[in-house]
Structure formats: structure tokens, C-alpha cells
Amino acid sequence: QWDQPYVTGAPGSGGATSQIDLCIAGAVGNDVINNLTSSGALGSGTCTGANALGVDPVQVMFVYNRADAAGNSQAETLNIVVGLANGATPGRIKVVVEDDGRGSKINQFATMSGTLQGHPTAAGAAAVGAAFFANTPRCGMPAPLVESFSSAGGDPLLFDVNGTRLAIPVLRQKPDFVAPDGGNDTFLGFTLADGGITDGSTVPGCQNTPSYPNFFGTSAAAPHVAGIAVLLLQADPSLTPTQIYSVLQQSAVPIGATPTAAAPNYMAGFGFVQADVAAGKIPPSIPAAPTLSLASSSIALGGSTTLTWSSADTTGCTASGNWSGALASTGTQTVTPSAVGTSTYTLLCANAAGSSAASSVALNVTAVMSPAAGGSGGGGATGVETLLGLVGVLAARRCLRSSAPGVRLGRRLHPSPEGIHQTEA
């Protein structure tokens, strides 16, 4: 590719003003060389041919070994030729050789320039370099070693989002950090023996399983960092991508691109990621308050109801108020209040980091009604209040019927001019 704006993403940019031809020669044995046509299909030539004007300024060639070939490819030297077919002469031309991790390189023109390109250069993305897992401190090495094929940063950004050339090119710190590659899986990659790679680790937990393939490249390293990011989010779901990137950078083991290069640098960024150290930099999150519910919000004294509770991401709970003791993070319990009034049940639940949150629920306890007094049979019972009322009625009758000498109500009545007098019968 060369220093003219892309049409993809910026339709009004104008695209390429130069026509470039890219050729590869020298393939032997089973290797096949193909160009990529303008329609995106494989051609049959060893040159791309000149690109059209006004398109994306990029040309692509493929060198590969067919799946039905009789054997593996052998190491070989290929000649790459870049020529100006027509139009303005570019100010910069970038030739990138990308491979399957076996170490292809441009021997004659080792410019030590950046090879990282595309999405990893975005401002909001984290670019991840790769280091063979056996060449890391946890596996016995004094310092991590970056893979030779791990892309280097340092390429300038020459155009804005509209395809307009910037007055001052922008340089971003890429990659951001390095993560392990070369670990075992069950289907992808190749065995270390097949790749001529030695596992020098003496740490039992780092030793390779020879019968399983190993997955190399930044495509293997980036998912390791994604897994760490998920664990950090589990500890604190409010973390932003920027905060996660910052924590990973701060906790990384610095890796010098050369013996004198300090971190961050364009080969290893801030260094090799450390999940445990990064986790220690995340402040413990406060868990959500537990959920408490009562089967019945009001009962009579002497009765019972069921209290149910649940909490998420906690290690246990403690009861207080009208109940007590250590409880599991979720559960149910029957409660029987011992007094009339409001019974309050409080639950405090804590997470592994020691942070906690509490909830409470109130139960209304009412008095029991007095039992019925007197009476029997089908007529029902007569309450105390009713009896008192009848006594009052009878007393009034005595007064009203006092002129009838023959009335006997348990007392003897004696009429007199001064009023009614009574004596005990």
C-alpha cells in the first residue's frame, strides 16, 4: 500500500492517484503464486497488474501451498518487485509480508519499520503483541521474549476520516501490551515438534502436551487479554474499556524492544500482561443489595410465615434485627414473632472482596382476639358487653315499675312519699 487515501470509509477522498504493479517471482516446488483480481477473486498471474485510479491504494499477492499438494513447502527465497506503472510517484510505499507464524521476513530490506496495520491502530482498540508462553516469567524465563513475527507499531496516520491528508502525521502507541501464544488446543495449529520449536520451560504447569497442536500468533494472544478483561468486568461491571486498558498497561511486565529501549515501545507496548496484578488494581465493587420477601406481610401473634432471600456474587450473609446468625447467600426460613407490633428482619451480604450491602423487610404482628364468654347450644354465646347492657336495661325497668308492689327482682321495693327505697330481699 502507499500514501494515498482509501476510498473505503471515505468515498469522497479521491482514492489512488498512482498505479502500482506488484510482482513475485522465484517460487519452486509446491508453492503457488496468485494475484488478487479487482473483483476479489484469485487470478493466475505472478503480478497484480496496475491498479485503477480512484480505488483503494493497495495491491495483494498470494504465495501458498495447495491443500492437495504432495508435501510441505520448503524454505525458499522469493523476489518482490514494486513498480510505478502510471501516475504520481508515491511519497511512501509499505511492503508487508504476512505469514502463518513460521517466520517469513524481508531479509535484504530490514528497515525496522512498523508492520501493525488496520483495526489494531484504532484509537479505541487495544493492540496485542505475542510472546511464546514458555518464554515468560511464570514459565521460568527471567523476562518475556516477544515473538519475532509479532507486528511492530510506529506507522504514522497520514489521513483523517474523510481522506484529507493531515498537516502533521499522528503516531499512536501500538501495540498496547503483549500476551501469551503457542498454547495447546485440540484442533488448530501445529505441534511444536512439527514446527521445530523447543519448549524449554521447567515449570510443571507450563509444560506442553506434545500430542496436541499449538496455536501461535497474535490471533492466539488477543483472546488471552479478552479473557482477562472479562474477569476484570466481573469484579467491577462499571469499568470502561479505557479503564481496563489502563489497568492492563499499569500491571504489565516491561519488555524492552532492544536492550536499551524502555517501555512503552513499538514492539511490546507497556509489556507482558499479568492478570493477577491487574485484578489487584481493581477496587472491590459493592454487591447489589439482597432481595428479601415475606410470604405474608401481616400475621397474628403466635403465627408463622416464610422469609425468602437471595443475593448475587456474594459469599455469605448475616442476619440481624428480629433474627440473627450467619446465613447462606440464598435461602428460606420460617419466622415466628414473639411480640405484637412490627418485626424487622435485616440481611447483610458480603462478596469475596469484603464489600457488603444490606436489605430489610417488616412484618406486622397483631394481637389475638379474646375468646367468647358464656352461652351454649344453638343459641350461641353472649359476650361480656351484651351482659352489661342487659343489666342496665333491667335496672331501668325496676325504676319504671316501682308502683307495682308485687314485682320481685331480687330486692324488696317500698314506695314512700319521698321516693323509692329498697332493701335486700
Side-chain angles (χ1 to χ4, degrees):
Q1 58 183 334
W2 53 99
D3 63 342
Q4 290 160 10
Y6 271 58
V7 177
T8 301
S13 67
T17 55
S18 300
Q19 292 181 291
I20 300 295
D21 196 2
L22 171 65
C23 301
I24 297 180
V28 296
N30 297 327
D31 280 344
V32 178
I33 297 177
N34 279 139
N35 64 321
L36 189 67
T37 67
S38 58
S39 64
L42 282 176
S44 57
T46 57
C47 294
T48 59
N51 58 278
L53 297 174
V55 299
D56 289 343
V58 61
Q59 293 279 41
V60 178
M61 290 291 295
F62 290 97
V63 181
Y64 58 94
N65 187 25
R66 291 175 57 95
D68 58 359
N72 294 334
S73 295
Q74 301 300 315
E76 60 187 353
T77 299
L78 301 176
N79 297 315
I80 301 174
V81 180
V82 180
L84 176 63
N86 188 31
T89 302
R92 301 169 184 252
I93 291 181
K94 178 178 181 178
V95 179
V96 179
V97 176
E98 299 178 342
D99 59 31
D100 61 358
R102 298 301 182 94
S104 297
K105 52 190 174 182
I106 305 176
N107 294 319
Q108 189 174 353
F109 303 99
T111 63
M112 301 304 293
S113 56
T115 54
L116 192 150
Q117 59 181 324
H119 295 114
T121 63
V128 182
F132 182 37
F133 76 87
N135 294 332
T136 61
R138 288 297 178 89
C139 293
M141 291 292 289
L145 298 178
V146 180
E147 298 276 25
S148 61
F149 53 76
S150 189
S151 294
D155 269 5
L157 302 177
L158 305 176
F159 302 91
D160 66 14
V161 295
N162 298 314
T164 303
R165 187 178 293 271
L166 298 170
I168 301 176
V170 174
L171 281 173
R172 290 177 179 157
Q173 173 53 59
K174 300 291 180 176
D176 291 84
F177 22 69
V178 173
D181 77 340
N184 284 133
D185 61 36
T186 58
F187 72 100
L188 185 64
F190 50 85
T191 64
L192 297 185
D194 187 44
I197 300 171
T198 301
D199 175 11
S201 175
T202 59
V203 178
C206 292
Q207 291 180 355
N208 177 66
T209 302
S211 60
Y212 286 153
N214 298 73
F215 182 23
F216 281 89
T218 53
S219 296
H224 280 86
V225 177
I228 297 173
V230 169
L231 292 174
L232 297 180
L233 281 172
Q234 186 180 34
D236 185 355
S238 68
L239 290 174
T240 65
T242 299
Q243 289 173 317
I244 292 175
Y245 299 161
S246 177
V247 167
L248 291 172
Q249 291 170 355
Q250 296 170 25
S251 59
V253 176
I255 304 174
T258 67
T260 59
N265 53 65
Y266 289 136
M267 194 66 212
F270 287 81
F272 189 77
V273 293
Q274 299 184 96
D276 53 348
V277 179
K281 293 183 177 293
I282 299 296
S285 62
I286 299 176
T291 300
L292 287 170
S293 62
L294 289 163
S296 177
S297 61
S298 181
I299 61 173
L301 183 64
S304 300
T305 188
T306 301
L307 180 57
T308 301
W309 71 93
S310 64
S311 63
D313 297 326
T314 59
T315 56
C317 304
T318 303
S320 62
N322 286 87
W323 62 338
S324 61
L327 298 170
S329 296
T330 60
T332 61
Q333 183 171 314
T334 299
V335 293
T336 305
S338 59
V340 173
T342 300
S343 294
T344 302
Y345 300 90
T346 300
L347 192 66
L348 178 75
C349 297
N351 60 15
S355 296
S356 59
S359 292
S360 297
V361 66
L363 175 62
N364 182 39
V365 183
T366 60
V368 178
M369 293 296 293
S370 300
S376 62
T382 303
V384 174
E385 295 85 352
T386 304
L387 291 174
L388 291 175
L390 290 174
V391 170
V393 171
L394 291 174
R397 282 183 173 179
R398 293 178 194 149
C399 296
L400 293 174
R401 300 177 63 184
S402 60
S403 60
V407 174
R408 296 290 183 268
L409 292 175
R411 289 177 174 82
R412 183 171 295 160
L413 302 179
H414 302 279
S416 70
E418 292 80 19
I420 304 291
H421 298 274
Q422 62 185 18
T423 60
E424 296 299 327

